Amino acid sequence: MAKPSFPRILSLLLLILLFTLSSLPGTFAAGRLSLKEATIDDLQLAFKHNQLTSRQLVQYYLSQIRKLNPVLKGVLEVNPDALHLADKADYERRTKAPVSLLSKLHGIPILVKDNIATKDKMNTTAGSFALLGSVVPRDAGVVEKLRKAGAIILGKASLSEWSHFRSNDAPSGWNARGGYGLNPYTFADPCGSSSGSAISVAANLAAVSLGTETDGSILCPSDFNSVVGIKPTIGLTSRAGVVPISPRQDTVGPICRTVADATYVLDAIAGIDHNDIATIETSKYIPKGGYAQFLRRDGLRGKRIGILRDFYHFGNDTSLAQTFEKHLNTLRKGGAVLADNLEIANWTEIYSSSDEDTALSVECKISLNAYLKELVASPVRSLADVIAFNNKHQKLEKIKEYGQDLFLAAEATNGFGKTEKRALLNLARWTRNGLVKLVTEKKLDAVVTPKADFSKILAIGGAPGLIVPAGYENNGRPAGICFGGLRGSEPKLIEIAYAFEQATKIRKPPSFKGFKF
């Protein structure tokens, strides 16, 4: 037998090396593209050219979670079936349909907040031990749509327990099951309640994620963690199967690293769900052809955007103030017409009033009791049961440290009396005479504010908001820029936000400098 030549040995070694590289999670076939910060479009392109499989992608994110999550605590649990679902996606891609016919989310791993039901081997607990082991009747409406689009449910993201409606004293980002989630930029407050959803995509523990918002719970974590968040119009996405606070203010939306990725997720989850009646009426806002068509680099051209100076307060951070003035100039350069020094009527009354809290208390008791009663199995069947569970397991739930004042206030309500009805009337009046009147009379497409401070006005009005990375404060904490509008104005907000993002490209991944995992 002839001895193999050196060139043949070298070729064989190179083939082995290439095979090894192609099978390693986190590396494409020839190292052409890192999975860190990879977008949905990047991943789909890699799938198309056989440079990546969904199994490799899931393995990569699982390895990231194993490495970073013990410190960041952005993920409560991973789906034990994630690799099986990845194999299923890979098989479908190979055998069933042309790649061009598959959804943008096909084969893409996604984390969902732990208050969003999944009918699988994972728990849905809102971060509380009181719901550990409970059995949901079905997938949440948005999860059903994600599965239909071919997305892989990678796991459950952590959150502020009970979406930060158990106690005013509990830290944002804390829950009894998972502990205190950390902002990957500052290793401090991540904001909540969708803290884990924002932490995880910011730190590249997942491609994309879902959060929920009642007031600020998508916009604020996105602001703090340098990611993109879309708080949709109330009813645009189904709330069925989501642990509730208020059907009047609750909404489900994407938290991602780019506007495009968030838009692709919104396209997948928006639409009618007969288990949430609000989606039937709100579906009139969904544009024919979906939302991705509004990802336009020239999306600022001709837009009228209102500047609400009452929200432009930066304390001693003069550099951030200068940054936002530059951003306003970027909007102008992109072709937007800015209407400056506008005011929301009664905005100080809105922010000083307790009427929102009054309404949320009574709504929480009613809606949470209904959710708990529908569970197939559960240790608790009412808000009163949850309060009793917490009192019985005070150490586990840190009742002495944080209490449960919001739950106690909600349990003390007795339906919609005069006080609650008056509160609802005030909220509706403030919206009608405030945001709606301003946008209508000034013929605005959107308003723009720094950070997430505008969330309360959007929340009480059921209106959408879209926040994009805008810069970093002196202490290193990220800051976002928020575009808000009237109900159903998501197409305009996406055009504006995408054009701004493409013109600035401010987001940078956390460096973890000086920190050992």
mmCIF file of all heavy atoms in Angstrom, residues 53-88:
data_model
loop_
_atom_site.group_PDB
_atom_site.id
_atom_site.type_symbol
_atom_site.label_atom_id
_atom_site.label_comp_id
_atom_site.label_asym_id
_atom_site.label_seq_id
_atom_site.Cartn_x
_atom_site.Cartn_y
_atom_site.Cartn_z
ATOM 1 N N THR A 53 -27.231 25.558 11.614
ATOM 2 C CA THR A 53 -28.486 24.844 11.850
ATOM 3 C C THR A 53 -29.146 25.422 13.095
ATOM 4 O O THR A 53 -28.488 26.058 13.936
ATOM 5 C CB THR A 53 -28.246 23.344 12.073
ATOM 6 O OG1 THR A 53 -27.484 23.170 13.283
ATOM 7 C CG2 THR A 53 -27.517 22.723 10.888
ATOM 8 N N SER A 54 -30.429 25.178 13.232
ATOM 9 C CA SER A 54 -31.126 25.626 14.437
ATOM 10 C C SER A 54 -30.581 24.912 15.666
ATOM 11 O O SER A 54 -30.523 25.498 16.749
ATOM 12 C CB SER A 54 -32.632 25.374 14.298
ATOM 13 O OG SER A 54 -33.208 26.259 13.359
ATOM 14 N N ARG A 55 -30.171 23.657 15.507
ATOM 15 C CA ARG A 55 -29.577 22.939 16.645
ATOM 16 C C ARG A 55 -28.310 23.656 17.121
ATOM 17 O O ARG A 55 -28.123 23.849 18.326
ATOM 18 C CB ARG A 55 -29.264 21.485 16.263
ATOM 19 C CG ARG A 55 -28.374 20.771 17.305
ATOM 20 C CD ARG A 55 -28.254 19.302 17.021
ATOM 21 N NE ARG A 55 -29.335 18.562 17.637
ATOM 22 C CZ ARG A 55 -29.282 18.030 18.863
ATOM 23 N NH1 ARG A 55 -28.197 18.175 19.604
ATOM 24 N NH2 ARG A 55 -30.300 17.358 19.342
ATOM 25 N N GLN A 56 -27.446 24.035 16.182
ATOM 26 C CA GLN A 56 -26.230 24.747 16.567
ATOM 27 C C GLN A 56 -26.565 26.077 17.247
ATOM 28 O O GLN A 56 -25.916 26.471 18.211
ATOM 29 C CB GLN A 56 -25.364 24.993 15.332
ATOM 30 C CG GLN A 56 -24.732 23.742 14.755
ATOM 31 C CD GLN A 56 -24.071 23.998 13.412
ATOM 32 O OE1 GLN A 56 -24.443 24.925 12.691
ATOM 33 N NE2 GLN A 56 -23.095 23.173 13.067
ATOM 34 N N LEU A 57 -27.582 26.747 16.733
ATOM 35 C CA LEU A 57 -27.968 28.035 17.303
ATOM 36 C C LEU A 57 -28.498 27.870 18.724
ATOM 37 O O LEU A 57 -28.123 28.627 19.630
ATOM 38 C CB LEU A 57 -29.024 28.691 16.409
ATOM 39 C CG LEU A 57 -29.448 30.111 16.765
ATOM 40 C CD1 LEU A 57 -28.259 31.061 16.765
ATOM 41 C CD2 LEU A 57 -30.529 30.606 15.791
ATOM 42 N N VAL A 58 -29.346 26.879 18.926
ATOM 43 C CA VAL A 58 -29.857 26.620 20.273
ATOM 44 C C VAL A 58 -28.720 26.225 21.209
ATOM 45 O O VAL A 58 -28.651 26.682 22.359
ATOM 46 C CB VAL A 58 -30.949 25.527 20.238
ATOM 47 C CG1 VAL A 58 -31.263 25.030 21.643
ATOM 48 C CG2 VAL A 58 -32.216 26.066 19.584
ATOM 49 N N GLN A 59 -27.805 25.401 20.721
ATOM 50 C CA GLN A 59 -26.653 25.006 21.547
ATOM 51 C C GLN A 59 -25.837 26.231 21.955
ATOM 52 O O GLN A 59 -25.364 26.324 23.094
ATOM 53 C CB GLN A 59 -25.772 24.017 20.781
ATOM 54 C CG GLN A 59 -26.357 22.627 20.676
ATOM 55 C CD GLN A 59 -25.511 21.706 19.812
ATOM 56 O OE1 GLN A 59 -24.890 22.147 18.835
ATOM 57 N NE2 GLN A 59 -25.485 20.432 20.150
ATOM 58 N N TYR A 60 -25.681 27.162 21.025
ATOM 59 C CA TYR A 60 -24.932 28.380 21.330
ATOM 60 C C TYR A 60 -25.609 29.165 22.450
ATOM 61 O O TYR A 60 -24.960 29.564 23.421
ATOM 62 C CB TYR A 60 -24.802 29.248 20.083
ATOM 63 C CG TYR A 60 -24.279 30.646 20.373
ATOM 64 C CD1 TYR A 60 -22.937 30.841 20.703
ATOM 65 C CD2 TYR A 60 -25.123 31.747 20.341
ATOM 66 C CE1 TYR A 60 -22.457 32.106 20.987
ATOM 67 C CE2 TYR A 60 -24.655 33.021 20.616
ATOM 68 C CZ TYR A 60 -23.311 33.197 20.944
ATOM 69 O OH TYR A 60 -22.834 34.451 21.230
ATOM 70 N N TYR A 61 -26.915 29.378 22.325
ATOM 71 C CA TYR A 61 -27.605 30.159 23.356
ATOM 72 C C TYR A 61 -27.651 29.418 24.697
ATOM 73 O O TYR A 61 -27.540 30.042 25.757
ATOM 74 C CB TYR A 61 -29.007 30.532 22.888
ATOM 75 C CG TYR A 61 -29.000 31.612 21.829
ATOM 76 C CD1 TYR A 61 -29.672 31.436 20.625
ATOM 77 C CD2 TYR A 61 -28.305 32.799 22.011
ATOM 78 C CE1 TYR A 61 -29.656 32.417 19.640
ATOM 79 C CE2 TYR A 61 -28.277 33.784 21.032
ATOM 80 C CZ TYR A 61 -28.951 33.587 19.853
ATOM 81 O OH TYR A 61 -28.924 34.556 18.890
ATOM 82 N N LEU A 62 -27.787 28.105 24.653
ATOM 83 C CA LEU A 62 -27.741 27.343 25.903
ATOM 84 C C LEU A 62 -26.381 27.481 26.579
ATOM 85 O O LEU A 62 -26.294 27.579 27.807
ATOM 86 C CB LEU A 62 -28.065 25.865 25.630
ATOM 87 C CG LEU A 62 -29.511 25.553 25.240
ATOM 88 C CD1 LEU A 62 -29.660 24.064 24.926
ATOM 89 C CD2 LEU A 62 -30.493 25.961 26.325
ATOM 90 N N SER A 63 -25.333 27.494 25.779
ATOM 91 C CA SER A 63 -23.987 27.664 26.359
ATOM 92 C C SER A 63 -23.821 29.070 26.933
ATOM 93 O O SER A 63 -23.191 29.261 27.984
ATOM 94 C CB SER A 63 -22.905 27.373 25.313
ATOM 95 O OG SER A 63 -22.865 28.388 24.322
ATOM 96 N N GLN A 64 -24.393 30.074 26.254
ATOM 97 C CA GLN A 64 -24.364 31.446 26.771
ATOM 98 C C GLN A 64 -25.122 31.546 28.098
ATOM 99 O O GLN A 64 -24.679 32.225 29.035
ATOM 100 C CB GLN A 64 -24.984 32.395 25.741
ATOM 101 C CG GLN A 64 -24.127 32.667 24.526
ATOM 102 C CD GLN A 64 -22.934 33.552 24.870
ATOM 103 O OE1 GLN A 64 -21.839 33.053 25.146
ATOM 104 N NE2 GLN A 64 -23.143 34.854 24.869
ATOM 105 N N ILE A 65 -26.256 30.874 28.152
ATOM 106 C CA ILE A 65 -27.059 30.889 29.385
ATOM 107 C C ILE A 65 -26.299 30.212 30.518
ATOM 108 O O ILE A 65 -26.258 30.726 31.647
ATOM 109 C CB ILE A 65 -28.422 30.211 29.142
ATOM 110 C CG1 ILE A 65 -29.284 31.088 28.222
ATOM 111 C CG2 ILE A 65 -29.160 29.968 30.460
ATOM 112 C CD1 ILE A 65 -30.523 30.405 27.684
ATOM 113 N N ARG A 66 -25.668 29.082 30.238
ATOM 114 C CA ARG A 66 -24.885 28.401 31.273
ATOM 115 C C ARG A 66 -23.757 29.283 31.778
ATOM 116 O O ARG A 66 -23.441 29.288 32.979
ATOM 117 C CB ARG A 66 -24.309 27.088 30.723
ATOM 118 C CG ARG A 66 -25.302 25.953 30.644
ATOM 119 C CD ARG A 66 -24.613 24.622 30.400
ATOM 120 N NE ARG A 66 -23.928 24.591 29.113
ATOM 121 C CZ ARG A 66 -24.479 24.189 27.980
ATOM 122 N NH1 ARG A 66 -25.735 23.779 27.962
ATOM 123 N NH2 ARG A 66 -23.794 24.170 26.850
ATOM 124 N N LYS A 67 -23.160 30.041 30.895
ATOM 125 C CA LYS A 67 -22.010 30.868 31.260
ATOM 126 C C LYS A 67 -22.414 32.135 32.011
ATOM 127 O O LYS A 67 -21.816 32.469 33.044
ATOM 128 C CB LYS A 67 -21.244 31.248 29.987
ATOM 129 C CG LYS A 67 -20.059 32.179 30.218
ATOM 130 C CD LYS A 67 -19.416 32.574 28.890
ATOM 131 C CE LYS A 67 -18.296 33.587 29.090
ATOM 132 N NZ LYS A 67 -17.724 34.043 27.795
ATOM 133 N N LEU A 68 -23.414 32.853 31.495
ATOM 134 C CA LEU A 68 -23.712 34.195 31.997
ATOM 135 C C LEU A 68 -24.882 34.267 32.971
ATOM 136 O O LEU A 68 -24.932 35.145 33.828
ATOM 137 C CB LEU A 68 -23.997 35.135 30.814
ATOM 138 C CG LEU A 68 -22.894 35.280 29.766
ATOM 139 C CD1 LEU A 68 -23.353 36.200 28.631
ATOM 140 C CD2 LEU A 68 -21.620 35.812 30.389
ATOM 141 N N ASN A 69 -25.822 33.338 32.830
ATOM 142 C CA ASN A 69 -27.055 33.459 33.614
ATOM 143 C C ASN A 69 -26.881 33.297 35.123
ATOM 144 O O ASN A 69 -27.655 33.899 35.879
ATOM 145 C CB ASN A 69 -28.108 32.469 33.100
ATOM 146 C CG ASN A 69 -29.493 32.843 33.550
ATOM 147 O OD1 ASN A 69 -29.993 33.930 33.241
ATOM 148 N ND2 ASN A 69 -30.133 31.968 34.308
ATOM 149 N N PRO A 70 -25.908 32.515 35.603
ATOM 150 C CA PRO A 70 -25.749 32.451 37.062
ATOM 151 C C PRO A 70 -25.521 33.812 37.708
ATOM 152 O O PRO A 70 -25.839 34.000 38.889
ATOM 153 C CB PRO A 70 -24.523 31.532 37.230
ATOM 154 C CG PRO A 70 -24.567 30.643 36.033
ATOM 155 C CD PRO A 70 -25.037 31.530 34.912
ATOM 156 N N VAL A 71 -24.985 34.760 36.949
ATOM 157 C CA VAL A 71 -24.781 36.115 37.466
ATOM 158 C C VAL A 71 -25.914 37.048 37.050
ATOM 159 O O VAL A 71 -26.492 37.751 37.870
ATOM 160 C CB VAL A 71 -23.426 36.687 36.989
ATOM 161 C CG1 VAL A 71 -23.296 38.158 37.379
ATOM 162 C CG2 VAL A 71 -22.274 35.884 37.574
ATOM 163 N N LEU A 72 -26.253 37.041 35.755
ATOM 164 C CA LEU A 72 -27.244 37.996 35.242
ATOM 165 C C LEU A 72 -28.672 37.635 35.628
ATOM 166 O O LEU A 72 -29.518 38.520 35.751
ATOM 167 C CB LEU A 72 -27.132 38.091 33.718
ATOM 168 C CG LEU A 72 -25.804 38.604 33.164
ATOM 169 C CD1 LEU A 72 -25.846 38.613 31.640
ATOM 170 C CD2 LEU A 72 -25.484 39.996 33.700
ATOM 171 N N LYS A 73 -28.948 36.348 35.746
ATOM 172 C CA LYS A 73 -30.285 35.862 36.131
ATOM 173 C C LYS A 73 -31.384 36.411 35.215
ATOM 174 O O LYS A 73 -32.432 36.884 35.670
ATOM 175 C CB LYS A 73 -30.589 36.187 37.594
ATOM 176 C CG LYS A 73 -29.592 35.578 38.579
ATOM 177 C CD LYS A 73 -29.999 35.803 40.016
ATOM 178 C CE LYS A 73 -28.925 35.342 40.989
ATOM 179 N NZ LYS A 73 -28.575 33.938 40.868
ATOM 180 N N GLY A 74 -31.122 36.344 33.923
ATOM 181 C CA GLY A 74 -32.115 36.789 32.955
ATOM 182 C C GLY A 74 -33.081 35.697 32.542
ATOM 183 O O GLY A 74 -34.146 35.983 31.988
ATOM 184 N N VAL A 75 -32.733 34.429 32.822
ATOM 185 C CA VAL A 75 -33.540 33.285 32.400
ATOM 186 C C VAL A 75 -33.922 32.472 33.630
ATOM 187 O O VAL A 75 -33.059 32.100 34.424
ATOM 188 C CB VAL A 75 -32.763 32.400 31.395
ATOM 189 C CG1 VAL A 75 -33.618 31.222 30.938
ATOM 190 C CG2 VAL A 75 -32.303 33.226 30.206
ATOM 191 N N LEU A 76 -35.224 32.192 33.779
ATOM 192 C CA LEU A 76 -35.685 31.380 34.910
ATOM 193 C C LEU A 76 -35.526 29.891 34.644
ATOM 194 O O LEU A 76 -35.153 29.131 35.531
ATOM 195 C CB LEU A 76 -37.151 31.690 35.218
ATOM 196 C CG LEU A 76 -37.420 32.799 36.225
ATOM 197 C CD1 LEU A 76 -38.908 32.924 36.483
ATOM 198 C CD2 LEU A 76 -36.696 32.541 37.537
ATOM 199 N N GLU A 77 -35.863 29.468 33.449
ATOM 200 C CA GLU A 77 -35.663 28.065 33.092
ATOM 201 C C GLU A 77 -35.591 27.935 31.583
ATOM 202 O O GLU A 77 -36.109 28.778 30.847
ATOM 203 C CB GLU A 77 -36.772 27.171 33.648
ATOM 204 C CG GLU A 77 -38.172 27.505 33.232
ATOM 205 C CD GLU A 77 -39.199 26.590 33.907
ATOM 206 O OE1 GLU A 77 -39.228 25.384 33.571
ATOM 207 O OE2 GLU A 77 -39.959 27.075 34.759
ATOM 208 N N VAL A 78 -34.906 26.868 31.136
ATOM 209 C CA VAL A 78 -34.811 26.607 29.706
ATOM 210 C C VAL A 78 -35.737 25.459 29.353
ATOM 211 O O VAL A 78 -36.076 24.613 30.182
ATOM 212 C CB VAL A 78 -33.362 26.290 29.269
ATOM 213 C CG1 VAL A 78 -32.461 27.492 29.486
ATOM 214 C CG2 VAL A 78 -32.833 25.068 30.001
ATOM 215 N N ASN A 79 -36.149 25.456 28.104
ATOM 216 C CA ASN A 79 -37.066 24.436 27.612
ATOM 217 C C ASN A 79 -36.309 23.125 27.398
ATOM 218 O O ASN A 79 -35.400 23.064 26.571
ATOM 219 C CB ASN A 79 -37.685 24.911 26.295
ATOM 220 C CG ASN A 79 -38.800 24.006 25.808
ATOM 221 O OD1 ASN A 79 -39.029 22.927 26.335
ATOM 222 N ND2 ASN A 79 -39.495 24.452 24.772
ATOM 223 N N PRO A 80 -36.658 22.053 28.124
ATOM 224 C CA PRO A 80 -35.945 20.783 27.934
ATOM 225 C C PRO A 80 -36.131 20.204 26.542
ATOM 226 O O PRO A 80 -35.374 19.324 26.129
ATOM 227 C CB PRO A 80 -36.566 19.871 29.005
ATOM 228 C CG PRO A 80 -37.874 20.485 29.346
ATOM 229 C CD PRO A 80 -37.702 21.961 29.153
ATOM 230 N N ASP A 81 -37.132 20.704 25.811
ATOM 231 C CA ASP A 81 -37.377 20.224 24.452
ATOM 232 C C ASP A 81 -36.773 21.133 23.383
ATOM 233 O O ASP A 81 -37.037 20.944 22.186
ATOM 234 C CB ASP A 81 -38.891 20.116 24.201
ATOM 235 C CG ASP A 81 -39.536 19.020 25.035
ATOM 236 O OD1 ASP A 81 -38.865 18.008 25.293
ATOM 237 O OD2 ASP A 81 -40.708 19.179 25.426
ATOM 238 N N ALA A 82 -35.970 22.111 23.789
ATOM 239 C CA ALA A 82 -35.461 23.102 22.825
ATOM 240 C C ALA A 82 -34.653 22.454 21.701
ATOM 241 O O ALA A 82 -34.819 22.806 20.520
ATOM 242 C CB ALA A 82 -34.621 24.149 23.551
ATOM 243 N N LEU A 83 -33.792 21.507 22.024
ATOM 244 C CA LEU A 83 -32.975 20.872 20.983
ATOM 245 C C LEU A 83 -33.840 20.007 20.062
ATOM 246 O O LEU A 83 -33.608 19.954 18.845
ATOM 247 C CB LEU A 83 -31.859 20.041 21.605
ATOM 248 C CG LEU A 83 -30.706 20.862 22.206
ATOM 249 C CD1 LEU A 83 -29.745 19.967 22.971
ATOM 250 C CD2 LEU A 83 -29.963 21.622 21.111
ATOM 251 N N HIS A 84 -34.845 19.360 20.628
ATOM 252 C CA HIS A 84 -35.766 18.578 19.807
ATOM 253 C C HIS A 84 -36.513 19.488 18.831
ATOM 254 O O HIS A 84 -36.669 19.159 17.645
ATOM 255 C CB HIS A 84 -36.767 17.840 20.701
ATOM 256 C CG HIS A 84 -37.928 17.259 19.952
ATOM 257 N ND1 HIS A 84 -37.803 16.159 19.121
ATOM 258 C CD2 HIS A 84 -39.239 17.635 19.890
ATOM 259 C CE1 HIS A 84 -38.986 15.895 18.578
ATOM 260 N NE2 HIS A 84 -39.871 16.775 19.026
ATOM 261 N N LEU A 85 -36.962 20.647 19.321
ATOM 262 C CA LEU A 85 -37.653 21.602 18.457
ATOM 263 C C LEU A 85 -36.712 22.147 17.380
ATOM 264 O O LEU A 85 -37.125 22.400 16.241
ATOM 265 C CB LEU A 85 -38.218 22.752 19.299
ATOM 266 C CG LEU A 85 -39.333 22.372 20.282
ATOM 267 C CD1 LEU A 85 -39.649 23.548 21.202
ATOM 268 C CD2 LEU A 85 -40.582 21.919 19.543
ATOM 269 N N ALA A 86 -35.445 22.311 17.741
ATOM 270 C CA ALA A 86 -34.453 22.769 16.762
ATOM 271 C C ALA A 86 -34.254 21.725 15.667
ATOM 272 O O ALA A 86 -34.190 22.055 14.469
ATOM 273 C CB ALA A 86 -33.138 23.063 17.466
ATOM 274 N N ASP A 87 -34.173 20.459 16.061
ATOM 275 C CA ASP A 87 -34.030 19.391 15.072
ATOM 276 C C ASP A 87 -35.244 19.359 14.138
ATOM 277 O O ASP A 87 -35.112 19.130 12.924
ATOM 278 C CB ASP A 87 -33.885 18.039 15.773
ATOM 279 C CG ASP A 87 -32.542 17.893 16.483
ATOM 280 O OD1 ASP A 87 -31.603 18.633 16.125
ATOM 281 O OD2 ASP A 87 -32.445 17.054 17.398
ATOM 282 N N LYS A 88 -36.412 19.587 14.712
ATOM 283 C CA LYS A 88 -37.643 19.618 13.913
ATOM 284 C C LYS A 88 -37.590 20.750 12.884
ATOM 285 O O LYS A 88 -37.943 20.567 11.714
ATOM 286 C CB LYS A 88 -38.839 19.790 14.841
ATOM 287 C CG LYS A 88 -40.194 19.842 14.153
ATOM 288 C CD LYS A 88 -41.308 19.849 15.215
ATOM 289 C CE LYS A 88 -42.690 19.982 14.555
ATOM 290 N NZ LYS A 88 -42.971 21.375 14.194
#
